Amino acid sequence: MSSSATVTATCALAALLALASFAPAAVLALAVVLVGALVAAGWPELLDLPARRSTTALLAAVAVAAAAAAVLGVRTGRLAGTQSTGVLDALPAVAALSVLAAFVHQLLRTDGRPRLVESVTGAATGQAVVVLAAAWLAVPSTYAGPPLAPVVLAAVAAASAVCATSWPLRVAGPVGLVAGAAAGWFAGTLVVLLGGAGVLSQARWGLAGLVAGLGAGLLVAAWRAQVARLPAVHALPAALAVAAAPVALAGGGAYLVGRLVLL
């Protein structure tokens, strides 16, 4: 896949999650699982890990488990007004069990376990990505509500579009930071203009969009720096993982914005 196709996939996934954030938790969970499945499918090829099929299966299972835990938290979590306090309570347990599963996975390998350390660390890193994606399920339960997801995802899409250019990272990184911040601020302001601000002021939404945009710009630039020179970055499964990972990783940041900025 070309860089333009990869960023198009990122924008499509961002749009899907943005729309799903207004739907019931089960629908949003399916969108989150799709993002996690794309990461799982391409992660072993992207990092050139051994035991690719079983590693993909492991990551996909962790993605489903994390989403299921978050859905359970949405339905049974302790809520204070509209601010979630217990939606993600089970995610640390999922993350811990996923690390144990990574070691069990290595014990079950029958290929002589070549590149053992590389395989474990690569799988654990992928697990962290798909677990963070489950944080999107908690975003609609924050004070900001569902409109926060499109604000953050607009910033991710804008920063990804800039970082997909042929500009060197020393140029694309700062420009992507500015583009993400501008897109986040504009999207936050648009939420107010469309009547979705709730009890929160325009200034607070603008600040939240700006903070989210700066974070998205840093995230996307750092991701590009990590994967740009990997040999498999343009192979189809790996490219889909490259496209999906920033969307997944932004879930944790979006939740923090909703909890800490939009109070």
Side-chain angles (χ1 to χ4, degrees), residues 30-63:
L30 290 176
V32 168
V33 169
L34 173 61
V35 172
L38 292 177
V39 173
W43 195 261
E45 181 174 357
L46 178 65
L47 299 186
D48 190 25
L49 299 179
R52 292 183 180 179
R53 291 183 180 179
S54 55
T55 301
T56 291
L58 173 65
L59 296 180
V62 172

Side-chain angles (χ1 to χ4, degrees), residues 72-105:
L72 183 63
V74 169
R75 293 181 177 178
T76 63
R78 301 176 301 277
L79 300 178
T82 58
Q83 179 75 17
S84 82
T85 58
V87 174
L88 301 181
D89 280 356
L91 278 193
V94 173
L97 291 173
S98 71
V99 174
L100 294 178
F103 286 101
V104 172
H105 167 242

